[in-house]
Amino acid sequence: QVQLQESGPGLVKPSETLSLTCTVSGGSISSDYWSWIRQPAGKGLEWIGRIYTSGSTNYNPSLKSRVTMSVDTSKNQFSLKLSSVTAADTAMYYCARMLRGVHDYWGQGTLVTVSS
Amino acid sequence: DIQMTQSPSSLSASVGDRVTITCQASQDISNYLNWFQQKPGKAPKLLIYDASNLETGVPSRFSGSGSGTDFTFTISSLQPEDIATYYCQQYDNLPLTFGGGTKVEIK
């Protein structure tokens, strides 16, 4: 059973960079796509982007200028960096496996608050 | 971006009722549509993939249909544990996009 776990600071100051890591267990990260998705409190879901194990990425154009994703297959981890954050980036951040277009396994989510 | 319009945004139904949610895509997405259930404080859970395929372990009272631009999600007999928000999501084109969600409550 594949499991995903997000980790990273829960509080980030405005204008700084949000950094999160997703650790995959119960399976290898060395195939498939891996996504980041976020959800502001009380609102809907927004796809941030995905990374393939080769390092190839696709980002949501709405965030593309501020997003960087990377993967470390030796640690079975992939990561998200979102720069120049504002209060609008406050949200629950989820990582998920994307198998043939389907997000079938999700992490429990981690709340990131942007505040000084 | 492909816009996904879900309706209604919320509904209230009695236990045992048939519940139907619709999702309309702004352009043809074939059958590249998934449905998720999200309970408060939890991550979304995949229920239906490729518009009509039931994910393993998901009760058969959940079903999906449609292709092209119009899709339907149905709970044949609403149960108390089905209280949640339901989202559709297309994966025909990047960026992946979600519907706005339908909050299902018990009357």
Side-chain angles (χ1 to χ4, degrees):
Chain A
Q1 173 89 352
V2 175
Q3 293 184 313
L4 296 89
Q5 178 69 57
E6 304 88 351
S7 59
L11 181 63
V12 181
K13 289 182 168 55
S15 80
E16 295 190 344
T17 296
L18 176 161
S19 296
L20 296 175
T21 296
C22 183
T23 301
V24 179
S25 59
S28 174
I29 199 173
S30 298
S31 64
D32 306 315
Y33 283 95
W34 303 88
S35 280
W36 288 97
I37 295 153
R38 71 179 184 178
Q39 184 175 38
K43 297 189 177 181
L45 298 158
E46 180 182 31
W47 181 74
I48 300 170
R50 68 179 184 181
I51 186 165
Y52 193 65
T53 50
S54 64
S56 170
T57 55
N58 301 104
Y59 301 143
N60 192 322
S62 67
L63 298 167
K64 187 175 183 177
S65 63
R66 300 193 291 129
V67 172
T68 303
M69 294 183 185
S70 59
V71 62
D72 186 338
T73 55
S74 67
K75 294 182 179 179
N76 243 30
Q77 293 177 334
F78 62 105
S79 298
L80 168 71
K81 291 188 186 296
L82 182 66
S83 64
S84 304
V85 296
T86 69
D89 296 310
T90 294
M92 186 71 76
Y93 284 76
Y94 296 100
C95 58
R97 185 179 81 164
M98 185 177 170
L99 178 63
R100 293 189 298 275
V102 180
H103 291 113
D104 57 351
Y105 289 102
W106 294 63
Q108 64 186 23
T110 188
L111 179 62
V112 179
T113 300
V114 178
S115 175
S116 55
Chain B
D1 297 6
I2 296 176
Q3 305 304 315
M4 305 301 294
T5 304
Q6 250 184 271
S7 61
S9 56
S10 65
L11 66 89
S12 181
S14 300
V15 172
D17 281 356
R18 184 180 185 87
V19 169
T20 299
I21 298 167
T22 63
C23 183
Q24 185 170 60
S26 59
Q27 65 187 65
D28 189 335
I29 59 169
S30 186
N31 67 330
Y32 299 129
L33 183 101
N34 305 317
W35 288 97
F36 294 90
Q37 175 193 66
Q38 186 178 34
K39 296 184 178 181
K42 298 294 187 180
K45 174 187 175 184
L46 177 68
L47 299 182
I48 303 285
Y49 63 95
D50 294 348
S52 60
N53 293 305
L54 195 66
E55 174 71 344
T56 302
V58 173
S60 59
R61 64 180 180 274
F62 297 102
S63 65
S65 64
S67 66
T69 60
D70 296 304
F71 301 86
T72 300
F73 173 81
T74 301
I75 307 173
S76 61
S77 177
L78 186 67
Q79 300 301 303
E81 60 268 30
D82 300 336
I83 299 315
T85 300
Y86 294 85
Y87 293 93
C88 61
Q89 176 243 314
Q90 67 80 23
Y91 64 99
D92 181 58
N93 272 8
L94 297 180
L96 308 181
T97 48
F98 292 85
T102 297
K103 187 173 184 179
V104 175
E105 298 175 321
I106 295 286
K107 192 181 295 182

